[in-house]
């Protein structure tokens, strides 16, 4: 992933080039590898690059051969090879997975968004028309972040950025750009391009899926989702908590990594034999292959974090041993977590208590991972929302309610787990990829009859024909023959129960009863009702003082 910043609809953009570069620089942690800037007739596009694919040739903004189309992208397009094949007349200038958006725009206009398989936010400027046109889009679920803003000082101008902090000094109105939508300056419209049958705007009228669970298809779809996310020219790893979701992802990734490493080894052996046959090599000489990709890390590395002897550390250690990954675990203290909270809020750009709690350990872990030279990790976000894995789902009164709650949770992932996974990692220039939110996998999993996802607890818990208990996420367990696991933990609980207690205790020491009682006077909207909430909101306001910034965090 990367960081993008764009302004469209301004006069004399060259005069503000330096200012807008400074705005984008505030998110340079997202793209520490290189920066690029394009100044058009009425627009400025700035890009902060984290190089994962097309490392040597993918600098942005990308410019078409006729210099009429300019593109800045944050994300990865996993089906770019297949899409390139549909554009045989276009002369590609880079190996970047994102460049394919340019010829797709020429062929399909903004309908191109529906063809993309990946996680992305992009801004595309078309200077072949008058007035110049800009389109901006965000991936279907909102795995990547994108904000849109307007300034009363620049009527008619529109701003976009990967992070809120780039816009707070420029804009007095800011929104979180909606996932699965595309903006078009031609008619100043924002429309939904991603609208599968299960994702209905009015959940009460939504048709409830009736398809029986195809466990083989479910398994193969997730395997394919992991496989495509191993597209990388740099070392990668997997976040491993030891729970079902991350363990499944790690298991598939370990197997696929081994396949790739074996294939690379065989290719090197063949190449070595060819060279020896062409020109005999003295005994003992070493022939170095020119292959890159993951050859330096032929075995999957896994990473976990927690307080001393926390559930996540113990479970991850056990899972890593079983999977055969090279495992790295990091222990943090409650005080280290508390010290990091202001930084975490600065990068998260939200005051949601649950998100801050869960993001702090991930933020600390991401720094350790990046220090090892890793630039991409796989993570297990989305499974609980898709399969109704949270324990409260057992109380769903009927299949319709169960499905509607799953849809609601998936639609809101961009405000919680996706936001956490994206910004906690990108704070250190580390990219997180989330296979459970693969578009094709969602089409399979979200169209399963919710009756097959429902579960009960205690004496009411059913068992299947094989005697396996129908517990939470039963069908994905069954698809991979995963035995019954331990009690489900939220990420912030699993790293150690004293972490949450530590935040609460600290908030108790810095927020008086009197301050909390008057919280509604200070924040009439979205008023915090706990001292922990008050403390986090206070830190957020100190970092982002504008009312426009606070509005983007409102649930």
């Amino acid at each position: 992933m990367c960081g993008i910043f764009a302004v469209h609809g301004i006069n004399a953009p060259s005069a503000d080039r330096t200012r807008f570069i400074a705005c984008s620089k505030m998110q340079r942690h997202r793209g520490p590898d290189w920066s690029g800037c394009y100044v058009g007739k009425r627009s400025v596009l700035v890009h902060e690059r984290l190089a994962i694919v097309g490392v040597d040739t993918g600098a942005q903004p990308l410019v078409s051969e006729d210099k009429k189309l300019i593109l800045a992208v944050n994300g990865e397009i996993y089906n770019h090879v297949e899409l390139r094949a549909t554009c045989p007349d276009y002369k590609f200038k880079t190996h970047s997975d994102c460049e394919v958006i340019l010829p797709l725009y020429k062929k399909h206009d903004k309908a191109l968004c529906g063809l993309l398989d990946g996680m992305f936010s992009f801004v595309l400027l078309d200077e072949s028309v008058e007035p110049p046109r800009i389109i901006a889009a965000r991936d279907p679920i909102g795995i990547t972040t994108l904000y849109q803003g307007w300034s009363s000082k620049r009527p008619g101008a529109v701003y976009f950025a990967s992070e809120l902090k780039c816009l707070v000094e420029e804009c007095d109105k800011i929104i979180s750009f909606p996932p699965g939508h595309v903006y078009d300056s031609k008619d100043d419209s924002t429309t939904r391009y991603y609208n599968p049958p299960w994702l209905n705007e009015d959940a009460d009228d939504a048709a409830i899926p009736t398809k029986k669970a195809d466990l083989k298809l479910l398994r193969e779809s997730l395997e394919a989702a992991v496989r495509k996310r191993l597209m990388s020219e740099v070392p990668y790893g997997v976040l491993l908590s030891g729970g079902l979701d991350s363990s499944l992802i790690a298991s598939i990734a370990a197997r696929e990594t081994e396949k790739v490493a074996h294939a690379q080894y065989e290719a090197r052996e063949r190449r070595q034999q060819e060279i020896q046959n062409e020109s005999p090599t003295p005994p003992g000489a070493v022939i170095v292959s020119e292959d890159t990709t993951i050859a330096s890390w032929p075995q999957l590395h896994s990473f976990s974090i927690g307080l001393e002897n926390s559930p996540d550390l113990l479970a991850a250690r056990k899972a890593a041993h079983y999977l055969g990954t090279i495992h790295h675990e990091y222990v943090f203290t409650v005080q280290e977590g508390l010290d990091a909270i202001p930084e975490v809020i600065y990068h998260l750009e939200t005051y949601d208590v649950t998100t801050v709690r869960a993001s702090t350990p991930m933020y600390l872990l991401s720094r350790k991972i990046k220090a090892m030279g890793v630039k991409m990790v796989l993570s297990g976000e989305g499974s609980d929302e898709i399969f109704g894995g949270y324990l409260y789902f057992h109380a769903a009164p009927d299949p319709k309610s169960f499905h509607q709650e799953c849809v609601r949770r998936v639609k809101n992932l961009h405000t919680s787990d996706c936001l956490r996974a994206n910004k906690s990692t990108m704070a250190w220039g580390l990219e997180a990829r989330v296979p459970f939110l693969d578009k094709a996998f969602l089409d399979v999993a979200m169209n399963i009859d919710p009756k097959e996802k429902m579960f009960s607890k205690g004496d009411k818990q059913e068992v299947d024909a094989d005697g396996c208990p129908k517990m939470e996420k039963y069908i994905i367990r069954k698809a991979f023959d995963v035995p019954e696991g331990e009690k489900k933990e939220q990420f912030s609980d699993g790293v150690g129960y004293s972490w949450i207690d530590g935040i609460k205790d600290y908030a108790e020491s810095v927020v008086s009863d009197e301050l909390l009682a008057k919280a509604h006077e200070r924040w009439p909207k979205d008023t915090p009702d706990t001292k922990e909430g008050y403390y986090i909101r206070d830190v957020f306001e100190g970092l982002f003082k504008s009312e426009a910034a606070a509005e983007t965090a409102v649930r």
Side-chain angles (χ1 to χ4, degrees), residues 96-111:
S96 169
D97 54 292
C98 298
E99 189 182 2
V100 73
I101 293 174
L102 292 173
L104 288 178
Y105 171 76
K106 289 187 174 183
K107 290 184 67 175
H108 304 284
D109 203 79
K110 61 186 178 183

Side-chain angles (χ1 to χ4, degrees), residues 329-350:
E329 61 180 44
Y330 300 102
V331 176
F332 77 105
T333 66
V334 170
Q335 187 58 57
E336 287 173 332
L338 293 173
D339 291 343
I341 282 179
E343 299 173 40
V344 171
I345 295 173
Y346 174 76
H347 285 287
L348 286 183
E349 303 174 324
T350 184

Side-chain angles (χ1 to χ4, degrees), residues 64 116 126 142 205 221 254 257 270 279 362 381 384-385 504:
S64 63
L116 303 178
D126 182 356
D205 295 333
S221 297
T257 299
R270 286 195 300 270
S279 177
M362 184 177 261
E381 278 75 17
D384 287 310
E385 290 74 16
K504 291 179 177 178

Side-chain angles (χ1 to χ4, degrees), residues 499-529:
W499 165 232
I500 293 177
D501 293 337
I503 303 176
K504 291 179 177 178
D505 290 344
Y506 179 75
E508 183 71 33
S509 70
V510 297
V511 179
S512 67
D513 294 340
E514 292 76 15
L515 285 174
L516 183 61
K518 294 183 177 180
H520 66 284
E521 298 177 9
R522 184 174 178 185
W523 301 296
K525 190 172 184 179
D526 217 16
T527 308
D529 56 5

Side-chain angles (χ1 to χ4, degrees), residues 119 186 242 255 265 281 437 457 505:
M119 54 177 185
K186 185 165 64 176
R255 184 168 64 247
Y265 172 79
T281 306
L437 298 180
K457 306 299 292 182
D505 290 344

Side-chain angles (χ1 to χ4, degrees), residues 175-305:
I175 65 168
S176 176
F177 192 86
H181 285 70
V182 57
Y183 168 83
D184 188 349
S185 67
K186 185 165 64 176
D187 55 6
D188 196 32
S189 65
T190 300
T191 55
R192 175 176 285 282
Y193 70 84
Y194 180 68
N195 196 28
W198 59 266
L199 189 68
N200 194 296
E201 291 295 331
D202 184 356
D204 290 334
D205 295 333
I208 305 304
T210 57
K211 288 185 179 179
K212 182 178 175 59
D214 183 334
L215 300 184
K216 181 174 182 289
L217 178 61
L218 194 64
R219 180 180 67 253
E220 291 176 347
S221 297
L222 185 59
E223 290 172 342
V226 173
R227 192 178 304 118
K228 70 179 69 169
R229 280 160 181 78
L230 297 183
M231 178 181 77
S232 174
E233 297 176 11
V234 297
Y236 61 79
V238 61
L239 302 182
L240 184 60
S241 69
L244 172 68
D245 308 331
S246 65
S247 295
L248 281 179
I249 300 303
S251 175
I252 299 169
R255 184 168 64 247
E256 292 299 325
T257 299
E258 186 177 358
K259 287 180 184 177
V260 173
H262 182 69
Q264 289 178 352
Y265 172 79
E266 289 188 333
R268 286 195 297 272
E269 288 294 301
R270 286 195 300 270
R271 180 56 181 154
Q272 181 171 340
Q273 189 61 50
E274 290 171 0
I275 294 174
Q276 288 176 332
N277 291 339
E278 293 171 4
S279 177
T281 306
V286 176
I287 298 176
V288 180
S289 169
E290 295 179 357
D291 291 345
T292 53
T293 65
I294 61 166
S296 59
W297 277 32
Q299 190 172 352
L300 185 68
H301 288 236
S302 56
F303 305 89
S304 66
I305 190 169

Side-chain angles (χ1 to χ4, degrees), residues 141 143 218 221-223 225-226 229 243-250 252 378-387 410 413 433-443 445-446 473 476-477 480:
I141 304 300
I143 301 168
L218 194 64
S221 297
L222 185 59
E223 290 172 342
V226 173
R229 280 160 181 78
L244 172 68
D245 308 331
S246 65
S247 295
L248 281 179
I249 300 303
I252 299 169
L378 301 181
S379 192
E381 278 75 17
S383 176
D384 287 310
E385 290 74 16
I386 294 167
F387 295 106
V410 170
L413 272 169
R433 298 182 181 176
V434 285
F436 278 110
L437 298 180
D438 178 77
K439 194 162 63 168
F441 181 75
L442 282 171
D443 283 343
M446 292 301 291
K473 293 185 284 192
I476 191 68
R477 293 176 187 274
F480 286 89

Side-chain angles (χ1 to χ4, degrees), residues 295-542:
S296 59
W297 277 32
Q299 190 172 352
L300 185 68
H301 288 236
S302 56
F303 305 89
S304 66
I305 190 169
L307 301 176
E308 191 74 45
N309 296 318
S310 65
D312 275 6
L313 284 183
L314 300 178
R317 195 180 304 160
K318 182 178 178 181
H321 177 73
Y322 176 77
L323 297 173
T325 63
I326 298 175
H327 190 56
H328 311 268
E329 61 180 44
Y330 300 102
V331 176
F332 77 105
T333 66
V334 170
Q335 187 58 57
E336 287 173 332
L338 293 173
D339 291 343
I341 282 179
E343 299 173 40
V344 171
I345 295 173
Y346 174 76
H347 285 287
L348 286 183
E349 303 174 324
T350 184
Y351 51 76
D352 180 70
V353 171
T354 303
T355 305
V356 173
R357 285 177 179 175
S359 296
T360 303
M362 184 177 261
Y363 172 83
L364 295 172
L365 177 60
S366 296
R367 186 176 189 180
K368 291 282 190 179
I369 294 173
K370 186 59 185 292
M372 293 186 64
V374 177
K375 297 175 79 171
M376 186 272 282
V377 290
L378 301 181
S379 192
E381 278 75 17
S383 176
D384 287 310
E385 290 74 16
I386 294 167
F387 295 106
Y390 295 108
L391 291 183
Y392 77 88
F393 271 84
H394 85 276
D398 51 61
K400 180 178 180 179
S401 299
F402 191 100
H403 178 71
Q404 288 176 339
E405 181 65 3
C406 285
V407 172
R408 187 188 70 82
R409 293 292 302 239
V410 170
K411 288 173 68 173
N412 288 334
L413 272 169
H414 70 284
T415 69
S416 54
D417 287 16
C418 286
L419 184 147
R420 167 174 59 84
N422 182 281
K423 291 184 175 179
S424 298
T425 54
M426 290 302 291
W428 302 106
L430 176 69
E431 176 175 297
R433 298 182 181 176
V434 285
F436 278 110
L437 298 180
D438 178 77
K439 194 162 63 168
F441 181 75
L442 282 171
D443 283 343
V444 173
M446 292 301 291
N447 282 307
I448 293 174
D449 189 332
K451 290 179 183 177
E452 301 201 46
K453 296 182 181 181
M454 296 180 73
F455 62 95
S456 300
K457 306 299 292 182
D459 296 338
K460 296 181 179 180
Q461 189 172 75
E462 301 175 7
V463 296
D464 65 14
D466 299 320
C468 298
K470 290 189 175 182
M471 61 187 301
E472 65 273 12
K473 293 185 284 192
Y474 163 77
I475 56 174
I476 191 68
R477 293 176 187 274
K478 192 70 174 175
F480 286 89
D481 292 321
V482 179
E484 181 176 355
E486 298 178 0
K487 181 172 74 73
K488 172 66 185 173
E489 305 276 8
Q490 292 188 39
F491 186 77
S492 52
D493 295 332
V495 298
Y497 299 110
S498 57
W499 165 232
I500 293 177
D501 293 337
I503 303 176
K504 291 179 177 178
D505 290 344
Y506 179 75
E508 183 71 33
S509 70
V510 297
V511 179
S512 67
D513 294 340
E514 292 76 15
L515 285 174
L516 183 61
K518 294 183 177 180
H520 66 284
E521 298 177 9
R522 184 174 178 185
W523 301 296
K525 190 172 184 179
D526 217 16
T527 308
D529 56 5
T530 66
K531 290 187 176 181
E532 181 186 9
Y534 188 105
Y535 163 64
I536 290 173
R537 182 71 179 271
D538 181 64
V539 173
F540 177 89
E541 188 174 84

